[in-house]
Amino acid sequence: MTVTRFAPSPTGYLHIGGLRTALFSWLTAQHDKGEFLLRIEDTDMARNSEEAKEAILKAFEWVGMSHDGEVVYQSKRFDLYKKFIDQLLAEGKAYKCYMSKEELTELREEQMAKKERTRYDGRYRDFTGTPPAEINPVIRIKAPQEGTITFVDGVKGEMNISADEVDDFVIARADGAPTYNFVVAIDDALMGLTEVIRGDDHLYNTPKQIVVYNALGLDLPNFNHVAMINNEQGKKLSKRDGATDVMAYKEMGYLPEALLNFLVRLGWSHGDQEIFSIEEMIELFDPKNINKSSSNYNLDKLLWLNAHYIKNMPNEKLAGMLKEYGVNIEGHDKLELLLDATKERGKTLVELAEQINLILTTPSEYDAKASKKAFKGEAKEVLADFAAMLREWDKTLHLPCDYHEVMDKLVSEKEIGFGKIGMPLRVSLLGSMTGSGLDEIMAILGVDETVVRIEKAIEAIE
RNA sequence: GGCCCCAUCGUCUAGCGGUUAGGAUCCAUGGUUUUCAUCCAUGUUACAGGAGUUCAAGUCUCCUUGGGGUCACCA
């Protein structure tokens, strides 16, 4: 069975890159009807935050990627890691290193001065003397000193990393707390991972983790390293260009299905297909089709996708989502009409909410440019006539087409162009020159409110 | 700097030795629409550069250039 996982460290919110690797992992598991596990990497007690953890979980909930089983917290598994450390120590596969931090820094500076790769020199690897007092040792694992560490990456292909790129790295800190590369290998193995899908930035952790797998005699999973997402200029993603909290996308009015669709196409493709429902993603996703190259983050397509998903979303569901954007139209008797009239005009839920509010609120002022253009000439008279006709036909007006008929009548009786009534009417109803169709707006407002707005506009024309 | 990875329109990408190099987005133009938006149509724009291999190279090899990653008692 395919088992994948997402393993964030709770040191900050979940951002777009993390969400994408999580999505890839989740899709892989869903596709194979396997399991997608969630693990919180909180071995560094000093840098963890409860808030960050909550935020990450919340983001997952929002996009609807559910994990299987309980969330695994590494901080609760220290006993387990300790056992493995002791085992390696006993087997002579790991050793205590009494080098002080100062000595380490010194060594590093020396190496840097000589333009060498900075690495631990193994001075305590075969140490048998009396250890220096007052130094709490760290535990280092014995990495191979020659040869090559080889693994096949599902995305990059065969990787060969020279053993001297991997030093005897620390697996337990001076305070006994285990370190990242050690616990990741153990947990991935114990949790039964078959596919490890993670960011490219972990590529060089892989040989280190393989050292741990080998020392402990654990089976290797398949590794898949996904290239990074950069900003539009191809530079590292910063908060300014999108490395913000995933939840910020919700605030900006993006739909989770749009965000996921956007992300799945960043570094993955299925021919020319652009639109993927969650079901299609699951059906079609294969990590083998993940791109080797990094991709640049650009909002244009996300916006387009978002507009697409808004347009195609059932009104009932849309109304439910809109509540969080300050628009409560659930139970509104013209809900269908209202959303049909506005959903093609909002690329985000925020914009859609604005469009709806534009219709629902009586304009308190008229856009200067629009009113100057629309309220000139005989606009006042035309509006008054139109209002009178609405009153006259009041009881028969229900649908947009009913209102349209009245407009038709007015236009033909007065022998004027459609614009003569359209423009002033639009500004009267919305306060501006742009927006939804007049027929729809009037049908939503009803005769009373429509007339109120027209009369208000007539007053304003004086 | 060492090591590693990557390179097709501005952006996301298709391509897997023979294509008029395709799609999407963006942008522009036209059409539909009483406005805006939607929708539809059309158009501009790409194989980073240089050597090879081959009858034939965006596709294979090498070099250059550019970008990215990584070198912790962080994850």
Side-chain angles (χ1 to χ4, degrees):
Chain A
M1 183 177 67
T2 299
V3 182
T4 65
R5 50 80 166 168
F6 184 60
S9 65
T11 51
Y13 44 72
L14 181 63
H15 60 82
I16 212 88
L19 184 62
R20 187 187 60 163
T21 50
L23 175 64
F24 285 1
S25 299
W26 183 76
L27 289 174
T28 301
Q30 300 298 314
H31 178 84
D32 295 349
K33 299 198 166 46
E35 286 186 346
F36 172 67
L37 309 176
L38 199 56
R39 183 175 71 224
I40 305 291
E41 314 235 305
D42 52 357
T43 52
D44 187 354
M45 301 307 231
R47 304 202 330 160
N48 296 334
S49 115
E50 187 67 17
E51 277 165 60
K53 191 195 79 193
E54 296 296 330
I56 291 167
L57 262 20
K58 231 173 119 184
F60 267 80
E61 194 185 327
W62 177 58
V63 297
M65 290 196 307
S66 56
H67 59 270
D68 296 292
E70 295 286 306
V71 178
V72 174
Y73 292 91
Q74 292 188 322
S75 58
K76 293 181 184 159
R77 291 158 69 90
F78 277 18
D79 289 347
L80 179 75
Y81 307 133
K82 179 83 170 45
K83 257 176 49 192
F84 285 109
I85 289 168
D86 290 343
Q87 182 190 325
L88 291 182
L89 240 23
E91 291 173 351
K93 291 174 179 169
Y95 59 94
K96 293 177 178 171
C97 169
Y98 293 89
M99 200 170 179
S100 70
K101 283 191 181 176
E102 292 70 34
E103 286 176 297
L104 237 187
T105 316
E106 210 176 292
L107 174 67
R108 226 171 255 142
E109 278 165 5
E110 251 174 60
Q111 288 168 333
M112 256 148 57
K114 282 192 250 168
K115 299 206 171 180
E116 285 172 5
R117 176 188 160 79
T118 57
R119 68 197 308 281
Y120 174 65
D121 60 5
R123 63 179 68 173
Y124 283 97
R125 186 172 166 118
D126 300 308
F127 183 70
T128 48
T130 345
E134 320 215 345
I135 295 264
N136 275 336
V138 298
I139 316 278
R140 288 180 182 274
I141 192 166
K142 286 184 179 171
Q145 292 180 299
E146 52 189 30
T148 307
I149 297 173
T150 297
F151 64 96
V152 177
D153 188 279
V155 178
K156 310 250 177 217
E158 187 178 297
M159 295 292 306
N160 296 294
I161 287 146
S162 168
D164 52 44
E165 293 293 319
V166 181
D167 61 4
D168 288 354
F169 61 95
V170 173
I171 57 172
R173 302 174 174 88
D175 65 3
T179 58
Y180 175 74
N181 282 120
F182 186 64
V183 299
V184 166
I186 290 172
D187 284 335
D188 281 345
L190 264 39
M191 289 163 73
L193 269 284
T194 59
E195 301 289 329
V196 169
I197 300 171
R198 77 227 306 193
D200 216 350
D201 48 339
H202 286 287
L203 195 64
Y204 258 69
N205 288 142
T206 309
K208 289 185 177 183
Q209 289 166 20
I210 288 174
V211 169
V212 176
Y213 278 95
N214 289 157
L216 259 16
L218 300 167
D219 288 335
L220 290 172
N222 294 317
F223 294 102
N224 301 273
H225 290 96
V226 184
M228 303 279 91
I229 300 174
N230 295 320
N231 69 15
E232 185 142 28
Q233 288 73 246
K235 302 289 181 191
K236 195 172 174 152
L237 212 53
S238 71
K239 284 187 187 179
R240 206 185 123 36
D241 20 59
T244 51
D245 187 350
V246 164
M247 295 310 278
Y249 289 86
K250 181 182 180 185
E251 276 170 45
M252 291 186 278
Y254 290 103
L255 263 33
E257 37 277 78
L259 186 59
L260 258 28
N261 195 149
F262 169 69
L263 287 178
V264 83
R265 284 286 288 106
L266 228 47
W268 178 82
S269 60
H270 181 259
D272 284 341
Q273 189 169 346
E274 295 289 345
I275 306 284
F276 295 88
S277 67
I278 305 288
E279 292 71 29
E280 282 176 308
M281 285 183 207
I282 291 170
E283 192 194 326
L284 300 170
F285 190 82
D286 187 331
K288 282 182 182 61
N289 295 333
I290 295 175
N291 274 193
K292 287 182 178 171
S293 52
S294 58
S295 36
N296 293 1
Y297 173 94
N298 175 289
L299 230 47
D300 287 343
K301 212 162 211 167
L302 174 58
L303 212 51
W304 170 73
L305 282 165
N306 206 53
H308 169 86
Y309 282 100
I310 286 177
K311 274 180 287 189
N312 291 288
M313 178 154 294
N315 291 338
E316 203 59 42
K317 194 176 171 192
L318 216 41
M321 304 186 85
L322 246 10
K323 277 194 293 190
E324 293 193 62
Y325 299 86
V327 168
N328 194 348
I329 50 169
E330 278 186 315
H332 192 289
D333 60 342
K334 299 281 169 48
L335 184 142
E336 292 291 328
L337 200 48
L338 187 52
L339 286 171
D340 284 344
T342 50
K343 71 207 266 191
E344 286 183 353
R345 256 164 279 261
K347 285 188 190 300
T348 64
L349 290 176
V350 172
E351 286 177 14
L352 181 57
E354 281 169 11
Q355 288 293 326
I356 291 170
N357 281 140
L358 195 62
I359 294 177
L360 259 25
T361 33
T362 311
S364 55
E365 56 185 17
Y366 303 97
D367 177 76
K369 238 172 109 181
S371 58
K372 192 177 171 197
K373 193 171 175 195
F375 289 165
K376 66 181 181 192
E378 54 197 325
K380 196 172 164 182
E381 289 73 33
V382 174
L383 283 173
D385 288 344
F386 186 64
M389 287 178 80
L390 288 177
R391 282 271 181 243
E392 188 185 335
W393 298 88
D394 191 349
K395 293 288 175 280
T396 68
L397 301 177
H398 304 289
L399 302 172
C401 58
D402 299 334
Y403 286 88
H404 192 81
E405 261 184 62
V406 180
M407 286 183 76
D408 271 337
K409 212 179 254 313
L410 179 86
V411 165
S412 62
E413 276 179 14
K414 299 200 62 136
E415 294 184 345
I416 53 173
F418 233 114
K420 283 272 189 271
I421 175 64
M423 281 202 295
L425 181 57
R426 170 170 301 285
V427 178
S428 306
L429 297 179
L430 297 182
S432 83
M433 204 67 128
T434 63
S436 305
L438 292 171
D439 309 337
E440 283 82 13
I441 296 173
M442 289 188 285
I444 291 162
L445 297 178
V447 171
D448 287 345
E449 172 65 12
T450 302
V451 170
V452 164
R453 291 191 189 185
I454 291 173
E455 283 169 349
K456 209 179 154 195
I458 290 173
E459 271 177 53
I461 295 179
E462 315 282 349

